[in-house]
Amino acid sequence: MNKKPLFVLIALVLVLYAALAPYAAAESTQEAGTMRLLHYDGEVEIFDPDGNSRFVLENVRFASGETMRTGENSAASVGLDDTKIVTLDASSRVAFVQESGHLLLNLLEGALFVDVQKKLDENESFDVQTTTMTVGIRGTLLYVAQGAPGAPAGPAERPQTVIGVLEGTGEISFTDTSGSRRVLDVPAGHKVSIPDDHLSGTVPGSPAGVAPVLSELTPEDIAGFVAETVKNSETLVSRVENGSPAGPQLLSGEPSGGEDQSSAYPADGDWTWDKEVTLAAQSASKLYDGTPLMRPSGVLVSGLPGDFSIEVSASGSLTDAGRGENKVGPFHIYNSRNEDVTKHFTNITTISGTLVVDPAPLVAWTGSAEKVYDGTALTCPEAELRTVPGHASEAPSWQNTSLVTRTALGSEKMVAVSGRTYVHGTNPLTGETRHIELLAGQSLSVSISNEGEKQTLSFVIATLKETDLPEEVLRLYAENPELLEQALQETGWDPEVMAGLIAGLSGAEEPLVTKNGLMVSGDDKDNIMTDSTNVRIQVDSGITNYSSRALTGDEARFTPITLDP
């Protein structure tokens, strides 16, 4: 009897068991921060960060940067951790990005239903990103739909983005048609709609930003995907029925009888808006360079209903080293008919930001001289000014080099690739100045966090392993053998591991250019730092909802220190 086929079959079974064991174990217990596919019907695909399709299996885990797509008449539920579930509607596509305690779902098309069973703590943040707005989630039931003609949010004549809240409160942030940055709370039983053709540049001559419309939810708004998702769970039915006054009517199909909140508020009408509206100018810091530090745009607006737009700017300006106030300037509020209704708002609170300009750190090196005593003064006029200690004249120009990279969530990170970089930065919220020496193999990012009842900034230094290095850094080493050799000596990295990582790089798409004696990708030439850099920080003031997270590249930028001596 030939036993070879039986042996091969047993071996295959053992291999398959070993491969699937982690997914089977995940069904009973899910680790925090681990995303996995709970259930799916129909056609579902998962793509890795490079766009390659990978296998689909219930309970399969997947990582940050991967994308899921559902086909027609299909659906999928994903466990983001043991208290957060997101369900994708048919013909939907979502990218999952996770960094530390920050989770972002980028809804590229279609619709999704979010179930957060436990309120997030202060060190977590969870956002859903669309082309028109960002939805901040703390603990709630809500759905987000993008690009469909009203579905699942009722009939509509044109594509729109919709967020509907069934329990708790959703917070959306967006840029309105006047360019102001807005934060709008959406309470349970309400929705916000934004026609997609309001996007800047979509329609020739259209204004920048969007104009959300806040209104009450109706049974027609949640018909189909949302209602079916809720009715499949007794727990969800109970939460929706108790989540808002209109909850029972939403599921029964009866009209809620709510008033139409989308109608305009006339300028000559007898009405008053006495709920608090907050206008917060933003803070910024930089090193002295002889030019004014201003931040007139980006005033954050909170509490203004979606029916209104606002024109507002900040008026602060600071040139010399010191600390100044960035005050909220004159503002005007308009209704949907573009009539000025500012006088009807009786409870406006303004919060100033802080501007900080630091003195330029200059170091002077004087020359040396000697002579035999002859009764006259010995002088040496030679002197050199530098911004901070750094490059020695006899060393190669690339000895102290760092590269600024950007993470999937948009935060900038500076990686020291050789030698040491001296970094200068100031917290505009507290005025605290930091001077940091960043060594090869270390990375620097800027984070915002809560300190008691106040928010503050911290400079986060991490020591990187070979496998932690961004692709841009590996490519820089691949193109510059001397740089790699020096980095290996300074960091103690394993040469074989580095060689394997470099060998696995795909072909470069951008042509190489020379910068500071290094061969650099054209995309990265402006991100090379030598010797020293200044962290320019811009943050929101007073009414942010941030938890601990790294600031984005628009909030904290690494720029080289360059001064005219």
Side-chain angles (χ1 to χ4, degrees):
M1 178 179 177
N2 186 355
K3 297 183 180 181
K4 185 174 181 180
L6 179 61
F7 172 78
V8 172
L9 178 61
I10 293 174
L12 288 173
V13 170
L14 290 175
V15 170
L16 184 60
Y17 175 80
L20 300 183
Y23 309 126
E27 188 166 0
S28 58
T29 303
Q30 184 175 359
E31 299 175 5
T34 300
M35 296 179 288
R36 64 185 178 98
L37 178 59
L38 300 177
H39 177 72
Y40 71 96
D41 292 310
E43 177 189 356
V44 174
E45 291 182 282
I46 300 176
F47 301 92
D48 66 21
D50 295 325
N52 301 314
S53 180
R54 48 167 290 193
F55 68 94
V56 175
L57 185 71
E58 287 193 358
N59 281 313
V60 67
R61 300 184 185 188
F62 54 100
S64 174
E66 296 191 315
T67 302
M68 179 175 291
R69 185 189 69 83
T70 56
E72 295 182 8
N73 303 315
S74 303
S77 293
V78 176
L80 304 175
D81 59 23
D82 56 3
T83 63
K84 304 180 190 70
I85 298 174
V86 58
T87 301
L88 278 64
D89 192 12
S91 302
S92 298
R93 186 161 54 101
V94 179
F96 299 81
V97 181
Q98 192 172 42
E99 290 179 9
S100 186
H102 188 187
L103 179 63
L104 173 70
L105 305 185
N106 188 0
L107 179 59
L108 304 170
E109 61 180 329
L112 55 81
F113 181 88
V114 177
D115 173 11
V116 179
Q117 302 159 12
K118 179 182 177 183
K119 187 176 180 179
L120 276 65
D121 64 36
E122 64 177 18
N123 294 319
E124 292 182 282
S125 61
F126 179 16
D127 296 324
V128 177
Q129 178 76 52
T130 74
T131 55
T132 54
M133 60 185 170
T134 299
V135 184
I137 299 169
R138 301 301 295 172
T140 185
L141 291 175
L142 59 80
Y143 69 88
V144 184
Q146 173 165 288
E157 297 179 356
R158 53 188 179 179
Q160 60 181 333
T161 298
V162 179
I163 166 181
V165 180
L166 304 173
E167 178 193 60
T169 301
E171 180 187 83
I172 68 168
S173 57
F174 60 97
T175 299
D176 72 9
T177 53
S178 67
S180 298
R181 188 175 174 194
R182 297 274 299 278
V183 175
L184 178 64
D185 287 337
V186 185
H190 293 75
K191 70 174 182 179
V192 164
S193 306
I194 302 176
D196 286 352
D197 60 7
H198 280 197
L199 283 171
S200 174
T202 303
V203 177
S206 64
V210 295
V213 176
L214 179 68
S215 59
E216 288 191 354
L217 277 172
T218 67
E220 291 79 11
D221 291 328
I222 68 168
F225 161 63
V226 176
E228 292 171 4
T229 302
V230 171
K231 291 177 179 179
N232 282 336
S233 166
E234 293 183 2
T235 300
L236 291 181
V237 169
S238 176
R239 289 172 62 186
V240 171
E241 289 180 340
N242 295 295
S244 69
Q249 289 79 17
L250 287 176
L251 295 178
S252 68
E254 300 174 2
S256 64
E259 60 178 325
D260 181 9
Q261 299 185 19
S262 63
S263 59
Y265 293 79
D268 57 357
D270 184 18
W271 60 275
T272 299
W273 192 270
D274 58 4
K275 297 180 181 178
E276 184 178 25
V277 176
T278 305
L279 311 178
Q282 299 187 47
S283 300
S285 68
K286 73 169 184 177
L287 200 67
Y288 171 80
D289 61 4
T291 62
L293 173 62
M294 297 184 293
R295 201 172 183 199
S297 61
V299 172
L300 198 58
V301 182
S302 178
L304 185 67
D307 309 79
F308 302 94
S309 62
I310 186 170
E311 289 181 357
V312 60
S313 61
S315 59
S317 177
L318 185 65
T319 300
D320 294 332
R323 190 178 178 91
E325 190 176 11
N326 193 27
K327 293 183 178 181
V328 175
F331 58 88
H332 297 277
I333 299 174
Y334 301 92
N335 62 15
S336 59
R337 298 171 182 168
N338 206 33
E339 299 170 330
D340 192 324
V341 293
T342 308
K343 66 180 182 180
H344 293 275
F345 286 79
T346 60
N347 189 5
I348 303 287
T349 299
T350 60
I351 299 175
S352 297
T354 302
L355 301 176
V356 180
V357 175
D358 291 328
L362 291 177
V363 181
W365 278 264
T366 57
S368 300
E370 62 180 31
K371 71 172 184 176
V372 176
Y373 174 75
D374 60 3
T376 62
L378 173 63
T379 62
C380 181
E382 295 180 5
E384 179 183 2
L385 287 176
R386 301 180 191 172
T387 53
V388 292
H391 177 69
S393 58
E394 66 277 4
S397 59
W398 47 261
Q399 183 184 45
N400 303 309
T401 296
S402 294
L403 181 67
V404 177
T405 65
R406 181 165 289 201
T407 70
L409 285 176
S411 59
E412 285 194 350
K413 181 180 294 186
M414 188 167 70
V415 180
V417 296
S418 69
R420 62 193 64 201
T421 306
Y422 295 90
V423 183
H424 172 94
T426 294
N427 181 344
L429 299 177
T430 65
E432 177 192 9
T433 297
R434 287 285 307 275
H435 297 282
I436 298 169
E437 185 180 55
L438 198 66
L439 304 178
Q442 293 181 329
S443 68
L444 175 68
S445 59
V446 184
S447 293
I448 191 166
S449 58
N450 295 319
E451 191 174 89
E453 296 182 354
K454 296 183 178 180
Q455 290 183 326
T456 188
L457 297 178
S458 57
F459 294 86
V460 181
I461 299 176
T463 300
L464 305 177
K465 299 183 293 186
E466 300 92 328
T467 51
D468 297 329
L469 295 173
E471 181 178 331
E472 302 96 314
V473 174
L474 291 172
R475 199 173 298 281
L476 187 62
Y477 285 136
E479 301 296 344
N480 300 275
E482 289 183 291
L483 183 71
L484 174 59
E485 183 180 355
Q486 178 173 318
L488 292 174
Q489 294 174 357
E490 293 172 333
T491 61
W493 287 332
D494 188 328
E496 293 186 2
V497 173
M498 287 292 290
L501 292 171
I502 290 174
L505 293 173
S506 58
E509 298 181 359
E510 287 293 316
L512 298 177
V513 297
T514 302
K515 179 74 177 289
N516 296 335
L518 297 173
M519 299 301 295
V520 186
S521 166
D523 284 343
D524 294 329
K525 65 181 177 64
D526 294 330
N527 298 324
I528 287 285
M529 306 289 176
T530 300
D531 295 333
S532 60
T533 189
N534 175 35
V535 181
R536 297 196 176 188
I537 304 173
Q538 301 185 144
V539 296
D540 297 334
S541 305
I543 59 172
T544 58
N545 225 4
Y546 296 144
S547 57
S548 298
R549 66 163 179 84
L551 298 181
T552 69
D554 293 331
E555 296 166 316
R557 300 179 182 177
F558 296 90
T559 55
I561 295 177
T562 54
L563 295 173
D564 183 348

PDB file of all heavy atoms in Angstrom, residues 19-46:
ATOM      1  N   ALA A  19      -1.863  27.620  10.344  1.00  0.00           N
ATOM      2  CA  ALA A  19      -2.102  28.931   9.754  1.00  0.00           C
ATOM      3  C   ALA A  19      -3.384  29.567  10.270  1.00  0.00           C
ATOM      4  O   ALA A  19      -3.470  30.774  10.439  1.00  0.00           O
ATOM      5  CB  ALA A  19      -2.172  28.816   8.222  1.00  0.00           C
ATOM      6  N   LEU A  20      -4.411  28.724  10.544  1.00  0.00           N
ATOM      7  CA  LEU A  20      -5.703  29.263  10.936  1.00  0.00           C
ATOM      8  C   LEU A  20      -5.899  29.346  12.436  1.00  0.00           C
ATOM      9  O   LEU A  20      -6.840  29.986  12.898  1.00  0.00           O
ATOM     10  CB  LEU A  20      -6.834  28.409  10.344  1.00  0.00           C
ATOM     11  CG  LEU A  20      -6.877  28.301   8.816  1.00  0.00           C
ATOM     12  CD1 LEU A  20      -8.084  27.495   8.388  1.00  0.00           C
ATOM     13  CD2 LEU A  20      -6.919  29.682   8.192  1.00  0.00           C
ATOM     14  N   ALA A  21      -5.014  28.733  13.198  1.00  0.00           N
ATOM     15  CA  ALA A  21      -5.176  28.715  14.650  1.00  0.00           C
ATOM     16  C   ALA A  21      -5.298  30.106  15.260  1.00  0.00           C
ATOM     17  O   ALA A  21      -6.145  30.342  16.119  1.00  0.00           O
ATOM     18  CB  ALA A  21      -4.027  27.949  15.307  1.00  0.00           C
ATOM     19  N   PRO A  22      -4.463  31.075  14.857  1.00  0.00           N
ATOM     20  CA  PRO A  22      -4.595  32.413  15.454  1.00  0.00           C
ATOM     21  C   PRO A  22      -5.961  33.036  15.223  1.00  0.00           C
ATOM     22  O   PRO A  22      -6.488  33.736  16.069  1.00  0.00           O
ATOM     23  CB  PRO A  22      -3.499  33.229  14.746  1.00  0.00           C
ATOM     24  CG  PRO A  22      -2.513  32.216  14.271  1.00  0.00           C
ATOM     25  CD  PRO A  22      -3.325  31.012  13.905  1.00  0.00           C
ATOM     26  N   TYR A  23      -6.571  32.768  14.033  1.00  0.00           N
ATOM     27  CA  TYR A  23      -7.858  33.362  13.741  1.00  0.00           C
ATOM     28  C   TYR A  23      -8.957  32.697  14.550  1.00  0.00           C
ATOM     29  O   TYR A  23      -9.908  33.325  14.992  1.00  0.00           O
ATOM     30  CB  TYR A  23      -8.163  33.266  12.242  1.00  0.00           C
ATOM     31  CG  TYR A  23      -7.021  33.786  11.404  1.00  0.00           C
ATOM     32  CD1 TYR A  23      -6.444  33.023  10.412  1.00  0.00           C
ATOM     33  CD2 TYR A  23      -6.511  35.056  11.650  1.00  0.00           C
ATOM     34  CE1 TYR A  23      -5.393  33.518   9.661  1.00  0.00           C
ATOM     35  CE2 TYR A  23      -5.457  35.554  10.897  1.00  0.00           C
ATOM     36  CZ  TYR A  23      -4.907  34.776   9.905  1.00  0.00           C
ATOM     37  OH  TYR A  23      -3.881  35.265   9.163  1.00  0.00           O
ATOM     38  N   ALA A  24      -8.853  31.384  14.745  1.00  0.00           N
ATOM     39  CA  ALA A  24      -9.827  30.687  15.566  1.00  0.00           C
ATOM     40  C   ALA A  24      -9.745  31.167  17.001  1.00  0.00           C
ATOM     41  O   ALA A  24     -10.759  31.368  17.673  1.00  0.00           O
ATOM     42  CB  ALA A  24      -9.594  29.184  15.488  1.00  0.00           C
ATOM     43  N   ALA A  25      -8.521  31.381  17.494  1.00  0.00           N
ATOM     44  CA  ALA A  25      -8.353  31.864  18.864  1.00  0.00           C
ATOM     45  C   ALA A  25      -8.901  33.271  19.025  1.00  0.00           C
ATOM     46  O   ALA A  25      -9.393  33.647  20.081  1.00  0.00           O
ATOM     47  CB  ALA A  25      -6.871  31.844  19.253  1.00  0.00           C
ATOM     48  N   ALA A  26      -8.844  34.046  17.945  1.00  0.00           N
ATOM     49  CA  ALA A  26      -9.305  35.436  18.031  1.00  0.00           C
ATOM     50  C   ALA A  26     -10.803  35.536  18.216  1.00  0.00           C
ATOM     51  O   ALA A  26     -11.321  36.554  18.648  1.00  0.00           O
ATOM     52  CB  ALA A  26      -8.901  36.205  16.762  1.00  0.00           C
ATOM     53  N   GLU A  27     -11.555  34.443  17.895  1.00  0.00           N
ATOM     54  CA  GLU A  27     -13.004  34.512  17.965  1.00  0.00           C
ATOM     55  C   GLU A  27     -13.488  34.700  19.388  1.00  0.00           C
ATOM     56  O   GLU A  27     -14.485  35.355  19.642  1.00  0.00           O
ATOM     57  CB  GLU A  27     -13.600  33.240  17.368  1.00  0.00           C
ATOM     58  CG  GLU A  27     -15.107  33.315  17.229  1.00  0.00           C
ATOM     59  CD  GLU A  27     -15.652  32.212  16.351  1.00  0.00           C
ATOM     60  OE1 GLU A  27     -14.850  31.395  15.867  1.00  0.00           O
ATOM     61  OE2 GLU A  27     -16.863  32.173  16.167  1.00  0.00           O
ATOM     62  N   SER A  28     -12.756  34.132  20.355  1.00  0.00           N
ATOM     63  CA  SER A  28     -13.189  34.235  21.741  1.00  0.00           C
ATOM     64  C   SER A  28     -12.615  35.453  22.439  1.00  0.00           C
ATOM     65  O   SER A  28     -13.238  36.036  23.310  1.00  0.00           O
ATOM     66  CB  SER A  28     -12.778  32.976  22.512  1.00  0.00           C
ATOM     67  OG  SER A  28     -11.376  32.801  22.444  1.00  0.00           O
ATOM     68  N   THR A  29     -11.413  35.873  22.057  1.00  0.00           N
ATOM     69  CA  THR A  29     -10.769  37.015  22.707  1.00  0.00           C
ATOM     70  C   THR A  29     -10.082  37.861  21.656  1.00  0.00           C
ATOM     71  O   THR A  29      -9.349  37.349  20.829  1.00  0.00           O
ATOM     72  CB  THR A  29      -9.721  36.527  23.728  1.00  0.00           C
ATOM     73  OG1 THR A  29     -10.344  35.687  24.669  1.00  0.00           O
ATOM     74  CG2 THR A  29      -9.096  37.713  24.441  1.00  0.00           C
ATOM     75  N   GLN A  30     -10.327  39.153  21.713  1.00  0.00           N
ATOM     76  CA  GLN A  30      -9.692  40.069  20.762  1.00  0.00           C
ATOM     77  C   GLN A  30      -8.828  41.041  21.512  1.00  0.00           C
ATOM     78  O   GLN A  30      -9.267  41.711  22.432  1.00  0.00           O
ATOM     79  CB  GLN A  30     -10.745  40.830  19.956  1.00  0.00           C
ATOM     80  CG  GLN A  30     -10.115  41.722  18.897  1.00  0.00           C
ATOM     81  CD  GLN A  30     -11.159  42.379  18.026  1.00  0.00           C
ATOM     82  OE1 GLN A  30     -12.331  42.154  18.203  1.00  0.00           O
ATOM     83  NE2 GLN A  30     -10.708  43.190  17.098  1.00  0.00           N
ATOM     84  N   GLU A  31      -7.557  41.111  21.127  1.00  0.00           N
ATOM     85  CA  GLU A  31      -6.642  42.030  21.771  1.00  0.00           C
ATOM     86  C   GLU A  31      -6.982  43.461  21.383  1.00  0.00           C
ATOM     87  O   GLU A  31      -7.448  43.734  20.287  1.00  0.00           O
ATOM     88  CB  GLU A  31      -5.204  41.715  21.341  1.00  0.00           C
ATOM     89  CG  GLU A  31      -4.743  40.312  21.721  1.00  0.00           C
ATOM     90  CD  GLU A  31      -3.361  40.030  21.154  1.00  0.00           C
ATOM     91  OE1 GLU A  31      -2.766  40.946  20.566  1.00  0.00           O
ATOM     92  OE2 GLU A  31      -2.889  38.902  21.311  1.00  0.00           O
ATOM     93  N   ALA A  32      -6.737  44.376  22.331  1.00  0.00           N
ATOM     94  CA  ALA A  32      -6.969  45.794  22.049  1.00  0.00           C
ATOM     95  C   ALA A  32      -6.082  46.235  20.895  1.00  0.00           C
ATOM     96  O   ALA A  32      -4.905  45.913  20.840  1.00  0.00           O
ATOM     97  CB  ALA A  32      -6.675  46.629  23.290  1.00  0.00           C
ATOM     98  N   GLY A  33      -6.684  46.977  19.956  1.00  0.00           N
ATOM     99  CA  GLY A  33      -5.908  47.471  18.829  1.00  0.00           C
ATOM    100  C   GLY A  33      -5.802  46.492  17.682  1.00  0.00           C
ATOM    101  O   GLY A  33      -5.198  46.795  16.672  1.00  0.00           O
ATOM    102  N   THR A  34      -6.403  45.293  17.808  1.00  0.00           N
ATOM    103  CA  THR A  34      -6.350  44.303  16.748  1.00  0.00           C
ATOM    104  C   THR A  34      -7.637  44.366  15.940  1.00  0.00           C
ATOM    105  O   THR A  34      -8.728  44.218  16.479  1.00  0.00           O
ATOM    106  CB  THR A  34      -6.181  42.883  17.318  1.00  0.00           C
ATOM    107  OG1 THR A  34      -4.976  42.823  18.056  1.00  0.00           O
ATOM    108  CG2 THR A  34      -6.142  41.857  16.201  1.00  0.00           C
ATOM    109  N   MET A  35      -7.522  44.585  14.634  1.00  0.00           N
ATOM    110  CA  MET A  35      -8.689  44.632  13.765  1.00  0.00           C
ATOM    111  C   MET A  35      -8.884  43.265  13.123  1.00  0.00           C
ATOM    112  O   MET A  35      -7.914  42.631  12.693  1.00  0.00           O
ATOM    113  CB  MET A  35      -8.490  45.706  12.695  1.00  0.00           C
ATOM    114  CG  MET A  35      -8.403  47.111  13.267  1.00  0.00           C
ATOM    115  SD  MET A  35      -8.150  48.396  12.016  1.00  0.00           S
ATOM    116  CE  MET A  35      -6.435  48.107  11.551  1.00  0.00           C
ATOM    117  N   ARG A  36     -10.138  42.828  13.033  1.00  0.00           N
ATOM    118  CA  ARG A  36     -10.401  41.526  12.419  1.00  0.00           C
ATOM    119  C   ARG A  36     -11.766  41.531  11.761  1.00  0.00           C
ATOM    120  O   ARG A  36     -12.666  42.276  12.157  1.00  0.00           O
ATOM    121  CB  ARG A  36     -10.307  40.396  13.452  1.00  0.00           C
ATOM    122  CG  ARG A  36     -11.327  40.451  14.560  1.00  0.00           C
ATOM    123  CD  ARG A  36     -11.060  39.356  15.609  1.00  0.00           C
ATOM    124  NE  ARG A  36     -11.997  39.394  16.711  1.00  0.00           N
ATOM    125  CZ  ARG A  36     -13.073  38.625  16.808  1.00  0.00           C
ATOM    126  NH1 ARG A  36     -13.360  37.780  15.848  1.00  0.00           N
ATOM    127  NH2 ARG A  36     -13.881  38.714  17.852  1.00  0.00           N
ATOM    128  N   LEU A  37     -11.916  40.693  10.754  1.00  0.00           N
ATOM    129  CA  LEU A  37     -13.165  40.555  10.016  1.00  0.00           C
ATOM    130  C   LEU A  37     -14.086  39.612  10.787  1.00  0.00           C
ATOM    131  O   LEU A  37     -13.807  38.418  10.906  1.00  0.00           O
ATOM    132  CB  LEU A  37     -12.882  40.015   8.612  1.00  0.00           C
ATOM    133  CG  LEU A  37     -14.085  39.753   7.710  1.00  0.00           C
ATOM    134  CD1 LEU A  37     -14.878  41.038   7.494  1.00  0.00           C
ATOM    135  CD2 LEU A  37     -13.620  39.179   6.372  1.00  0.00           C
ATOM    136  N   LEU A  38     -15.185  40.135  11.329  1.00  0.00           N
ATOM    137  CA  LEU A  38     -16.090  39.320  12.133  1.00  0.00           C
ATOM    138  C   LEU A  38     -16.987  38.446  11.271  1.00  0.00           C
ATOM    139  O   LEU A  38     -17.181  37.263  11.559  1.00  0.00           O
ATOM    140  CB  LEU A  38     -16.954  40.225  13.021  1.00  0.00           C
ATOM    141  CG  LEU A  38     -16.219  41.122  14.023  1.00  0.00           C
ATOM    142  CD1 LEU A  38     -17.225  42.007  14.762  1.00  0.00           C
ATOM    143  CD2 LEU A  38     -15.422  40.284  15.004  1.00  0.00           C
ATOM    144  N   HIS A  39     -17.562  39.054  10.237  1.00  0.00           N
ATOM    145  CA  HIS A  39     -18.529  38.327   9.404  1.00  0.00           C
ATOM    146  C   HIS A  39     -18.652  39.033   8.062  1.00  0.00           C
ATOM    147  O   HIS A  39     -18.499  40.256   7.973  1.00  0.00           O
ATOM    148  CB  HIS A  39     -19.899  38.282  10.110  1.00  0.00           C
ATOM    149  CG  HIS A  39     -20.962  37.619   9.293  1.00  0.00           C
ATOM    150  ND1 HIS A  39     -20.998  36.255   9.069  1.00  0.00           N
ATOM    151  CD2 HIS A  39     -22.028  38.152   8.635  1.00  0.00           C
ATOM    152  CE1 HIS A  39     -22.047  35.967   8.310  1.00  0.00           C
ATOM    153  NE2 HIS A  39     -22.679  37.094   8.034  1.00  0.00           N
ATOM    154  N   TYR A  40     -18.936  38.273   7.010  1.00  0.00           N
ATOM    155  CA  TYR A  40     -19.183  38.905   5.719  1.00  0.00           C
ATOM    156  C   TYR A  40     -20.142  38.057   4.902  1.00  0.00           C
ATOM    157  O   TYR A  40     -20.251  36.836   5.076  1.00  0.00           O
ATOM    158  CB  TYR A  40     -17.873  39.123   4.951  1.00  0.00           C
ATOM    159  CG  TYR A  40     -17.204  37.878   4.422  1.00  0.00           C
ATOM    160  CD1 TYR A  40     -17.420  37.464   3.104  1.00  0.00           C
ATOM    161  CD2 TYR A  40     -16.358  37.123   5.214  1.00  0.00           C
ATOM    162  CE1 TYR A  40     -16.806  36.330   2.602  1.00  0.00           C
ATOM    163  CE2 TYR A  40     -15.742  35.989   4.727  1.00  0.00           C
ATOM    164  CZ  TYR A  40     -15.969  35.586   3.417  1.00  0.00           C
ATOM    165  OH  TYR A  40     -15.361  34.460   2.929  1.00  0.00           O
ATOM    166  N   ASP A  41     -20.865  38.726   4.001  1.00  0.00           N
ATOM    167  CA  ASP A  41     -21.766  38.083   3.057  1.00  0.00           C
ATOM    168  C   ASP A  41     -21.444  38.596   1.667  1.00  0.00           C
ATOM    169  O   ASP A  41     -21.241  39.802   1.475  1.00  0.00           O
ATOM    170  CB  ASP A  41     -23.230  38.409   3.383  1.00  0.00           C
ATOM    171  CG  ASP A  41     -23.689  37.787   4.689  1.00  0.00           C
ATOM    172  OD1 ASP A  41     -23.469  36.577   4.874  1.00  0.00           O
ATOM    173  OD2 ASP A  41     -24.254  38.528   5.525  1.00  0.00           O
ATOM    174  N   GLY A  42     -21.427  37.696   0.708  1.00  0.00           N
ATOM    175  CA  GLY A  42     -21.194  38.105  -0.667  1.00  0.00           C
ATOM    176  C   GLY A  42     -19.727  38.296  -0.983  1.00  0.00           C
ATOM    177  O   GLY A  42     -18.849  37.630  -0.426  1.00  0.00           O
ATOM    178  N   GLU A  43     -19.460  39.270  -1.844  1.00  0.00           N
ATOM    179  CA  GLU A  43     -18.104  39.509  -2.349  1.00  0.00           C
ATOM    180  C   GLU A  43     -17.397  40.557  -1.498  1.00  0.00           C
ATOM    181  O   GLU A  43     -17.832  41.701  -1.409  1.00  0.00           O
ATOM    182  CB  GLU A  43     -18.167  39.992  -3.802  1.00  0.00           C
ATOM    183  CG  GLU A  43     -16.812  40.333  -4.407  1.00  0.00           C
ATOM    184  CD  GLU A  43     -16.927  40.999  -5.760  1.00  0.00           C
ATOM    185  OE1 GLU A  43     -18.057  41.136  -6.264  1.00  0.00           O
ATOM    186  OE2 GLU A  43     -15.882  41.425  -6.292  1.00  0.00           O
ATOM    187  N   VAL A  44     -16.300  40.154  -0.857  1.00  0.00           N
ATOM    188  CA  VAL A  44     -15.516  41.064  -0.027  1.00  0.00           C
ATOM    189  C   VAL A  44     -14.050  40.888  -0.376  1.00  0.00           C
ATOM    190  O   VAL A  44     -13.562  39.759  -0.527  1.00  0.00           O
ATOM    191  CB  VAL A  44     -15.743  40.791   1.477  1.00  0.00           C
ATOM    192  CG1 VAL A  44     -14.804  41.651   2.318  1.00  0.00           C
ATOM    193  CG2 VAL A  44     -17.190  41.093   1.857  1.00  0.00           C
ATOM    194  N   GLU A  45     -13.324  41.989  -0.516  1.00  0.00           N
ATOM    195  CA  GLU A  45     -11.889  41.942  -0.796  1.00  0.00           C
ATOM    196  C   GLU A  45     -11.127  42.768   0.235  1.00  0.00           C
ATOM    197  O   GLU A  45     -11.623  43.798   0.698  1.00  0.00           O
ATOM    198  CB  GLU A  45     -11.593  42.502  -2.189  1.00  0.00           C
ATOM    199  CG  GLU A  45     -12.094  41.627  -3.329  1.00  0.00           C
ATOM    200  CD  GLU A  45     -11.722  42.215  -4.674  1.00  0.00           C
ATOM    201  OE1 GLU A  45     -12.400  43.170  -5.104  1.00  0.00           O
ATOM    202  OE2 GLU A  45     -10.742  41.746  -5.284  1.00  0.00           O
ATOM    203  N   ILE A  46      -9.923  42.317   0.581  1.00  0.00           N
ATOM    204  CA  ILE A  46      -9.022  43.058   1.447  1.00  0.00           C
ATOM    205  C   ILE A  46      -7.730  43.301   0.675  1.00  0.00           C
ATOM    206  O   ILE A  46      -7.180  42.373   0.077  1.00  0.00           O
ATOM    207  CB  ILE A  46      -8.721  42.301   2.754  1.00  0.00           C
ATOM    208  CG1 ILE A  46     -10.004  42.057   3.545  1.00  0.00           C
ATOM    209  CG2 ILE A  46      -7.724  43.080   3.616  1.00  0.00           C
ATOM    210  CD1 ILE A  46      -9.793  41.230   4.797  1.00  0.00           C
TER     211      ILE A  46
END
